[in-house]
């Protein structure tokens, strides 16, 4: 490959990476707005998150197409091919995080439109969401710097989100048993908490792809990197 073509190829890869980070920023904003809508009852904000999901979907389609075109045009070697495959997987996880944010916004809208009796668990959900957002931020940073150590920290942090979800679920069961009038709203908060937990799962997936890019090691379902990798 000539120096000119090599430089253009590097530019193409960097453009893809930058687009992933922009998509990550959009998705992060969607989560924040959805949680804000839940805690404040801002129905306009809920609607904005719901409507903006199409932007995330469009970015996924565009990035998938760009990756496919790059593979066809450049026929990348092993390391670069891993990068492109990992980008495609990362984009899928980002799109699914966007779906979870939209789900939170829909539930928030339903709760506040109905004016249901308050279940004082939105603070706990917000705390879990902040943990999930922090995981997403660290994952995107690890992707930007191809930092395996940072990626491993994200993978370990997923257990904290799972623990938060179980705690919220236990509290909600108590509320439902003590006051059946809270059942409908409590179940909606269960779905919101589950969406937050799924965001953490997707962030963990993305961290695993960073390790795959750098080391060529698939750590899915193991969460560890071998010493030889």
């Amino acid at each position: 490959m000539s120096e000119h073509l090599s430089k253009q190829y590097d530019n193409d890869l960097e453009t893809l990476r930058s687009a992933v980070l922009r998509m990550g920023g959009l998705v992060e904003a969607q989560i924040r707005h959805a949680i804000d809508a839940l805690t404040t009852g801002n129905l306009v904000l809920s609607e904005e998150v719901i409507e903006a999901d199409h932007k995330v979907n469009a970015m996924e389609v565009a990035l998938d197409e760009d990756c496919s075109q790059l593979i066809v045009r450049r026929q990348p070697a092993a390391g670069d091919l891993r990068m492109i495959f990992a980008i495609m997987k990362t984009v899928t996880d980002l799109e699914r995080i966007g779906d979870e944010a939209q789900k939170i916004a829909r539930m928030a809208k339903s709760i506040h439109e109905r004016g249901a009796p308050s279940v004082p668990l939105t603070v706990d959900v917000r705390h879990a969401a902040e943990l999930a957002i922090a995981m997403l931020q660290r994952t995107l940073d690890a992707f930007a710097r191809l930092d395996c150590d940072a990626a491993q920290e994200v993978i370990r942090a997923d257990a904290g989100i799972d623990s938060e979800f179980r705690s919220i679920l236990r509290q909600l069961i108590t509320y439902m048993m003590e006051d059946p009038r809270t059942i409908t709203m409590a179940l909606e908060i269960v779905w919101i908490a589950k969406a937050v937990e799924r965001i953490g799962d997707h962030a963990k997936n993305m961290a695993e792809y960073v390790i795959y890019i750098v080391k060529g090691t698939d750590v899915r379902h193991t969460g560890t990197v071998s010493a030889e990798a």
Side-chain angles (χ1 to χ4, degrees):
M1 188 184 290
S2 72
E3 184 179 346
H4 172 72
L5 286 176
S6 177
K7 186 170 290 187
Q8 181 59 49
Y9 180 48
D10 289 342
N11 289 341
D12 289 344
L13 277 177
E14 193 53 43
T15 298
L16 281 178
R17 280 159 52 90
S18 296
V20 170
L21 294 174
R22 284 197 303 276
M23 184 177 179
L26 174 58
V27 166
E28 180 190 334
Q30 288 281 86
I31 304 167
R32 287 194 183 280
H33 293 158
I35 294 296
D36 284 345
L38 172 66
T39 54
T40 65
N42 186 333
L43 296 178
V44 173
L45 194 55
S46 293
E47 201 59 52
E48 286 175 358
V49 174
I50 294 165
E51 291 300 319
D53 187 57
H54 73 90
K55 295 179 183 176
V56 178
N57 296 341
M59 290 181 87
E60 180 196 21
V61 171
L63 270 163
D64 270 351
E65 179 63 22
D66 290 344
C67 286
S68 298
Q69 289 294 326
L70 194 59
I71 291 171
V72 170
R73 288 201 322 269
R74 303 296 188 186
Q75 299 178 348
D80 289 338
L81 193 58
R82 284 206 308 270
M83 168 71 79
I84 295 169
F85 282 153
I87 284 174
M88 294 174 82
K89 287 176 174 290
T90 296
V91 164
T92 298
D93 275 289
L94 285 173
E95 189 274 333
R96 288 177 180 165
I97 291 174
D99 288 345
E100 299 298 340
Q102 186 189 53
K103 189 183 300 178
I104 293 169
R106 287 186 185 282
M107 290 294 176
K109 184 181 178 187
S110 172
I111 288 169
H112 290 292
E113 279 183 339
R114 197 171 57 252
S118 177
V119 176
L121 276 178
T122 53
V123 172
D124 292 336
V125 171
R126 187 174 193 100
H127 179 252
E130 289 296 339
L131 293 178
I133 290 168
M135 280 181 69
L136 176 59
Q137 290 173 329
R138 291 202 301 273
T139 297
L140 291 169
D141 186 52
F143 172 77
R145 295 185 290 114
L146 297 180
D147 185 337
C148 285
D149 290 338
Q152 281 285 23
E153 288 177 13
V154 172
I155 292 168
R156 286 191 288 269
D158 186 53
I161 303 283
D162 294 343
S163 177
E164 288 278 330
F165 173 71
R166 288 192 295 271
S167 174
I168 291 168
L169 189 57
R170 284 193 298 269
Q171 292 177 68
L172 284 167
I173 289 169
T174 301
Y175 278 111
M176 287 187 282
M177 290 172 65
E178 291 177 351
D179 184 356
R181 292 174 302 169
T182 66
I183 288 175
T184 299
M185 181 179 176
L187 288 174
E188 286 175 323
I189 294 179
V190 169
W191 284 112
I192 290 170
K194 185 62 181 175
V196 169
E197 191 240 358
R198 290 294 298 141
I199 289 168
D201 289 342
H202 289 301
K204 177 186 174 185
N205 290 347
M206 291 159 55
E208 290 170 347
Y209 305 147
V210 172
I211 295 169
Y212 172 68
I213 292 169
V214 176
K215 296 182 177 288
T217 306
D218 189 344
V219 296
R220 288 176 298 175
H221 315 304
T222 67
T224 58
V225 181
S226 67
E228 295 80 19

